[in-house]
Amino acid sequence: MRKKSIKSETTHNGTLNTPVEFCSTKVASGLHKHGTTNKVEYKAWAEIYNSSLKDIEILKSRGVKKSVTIIIRDPYGAYQTDNKHVVMIHSPRYAGVVWKIEDIRLKGGYITFLLNGDNDGV
């Protein structure tokens, strides 16, 4: 009788196939000062997948309804991750959504971001 083995899926160069941008935001300057401006801080390739049950439970407690999880390669100092930054995912599925960073996890040369899509452009 053969043993069944479950292989965990790993992230590698072939799965990092969606461009993402990490942006800092600030209130637009000018006479009326409404709206925000985004300044690109870092660009990377990411693996995007639906949030796990653990992630969904974390977000449920915060009242979040739309979420996604991304993984990028650790930039090692080229970019300092910050919860105040927002993420733009360049994929037709996520077009027009500005994602707020809810949680950051470091693991084995990669960074996992839990993103919240329920915000109104900021």
Side-chain angles (χ1 to χ4, degrees), residues 109-120:
Y110 294 94
I111 302 176
T112 302
F113 294 92
L114 183 56
L115 304 178
N116 168 4
D118 284 345
N119 47 353
D120 297 328

Side-chain angles (χ1 to χ4, degrees), residues 37-99:
T37 58
N38 295 336
K39 178 184 170 202
V40 176
E41 298 288 337
Y42 185 69
K43 294 180 180 182
W45 292 91
E47 176 183 359
I48 301 173
Y49 59 92
N50 292 329
S51 300
S52 66
L53 288 175
K54 175 185 167 186
D55 296 339
I56 290 170
E57 287 302 317
I58 291 170
L59 293 171
K60 241 190 215 179
S61 66
R62 298 177 186 172
V64 175
K65 293 181 182 130
K66 185 190 324 185
S67 68
V68 72
T69 304
I70 67 170
I71 297 176
I72 66 166
R73 199 176 289 282
D74 192 350
Y76 294 113
Y79 168 68
Q80 293 297 327
T81 58
D82 190 354
N83 281 10
K84 294 175 186 160
H85 290 169
V86 295
V87 179
M88 306 291 285
I89 300 174
H90 297 288
S91 171
R93 233 180 292 158
Y94 306 105
V97 180
V98 178
W99 299 88

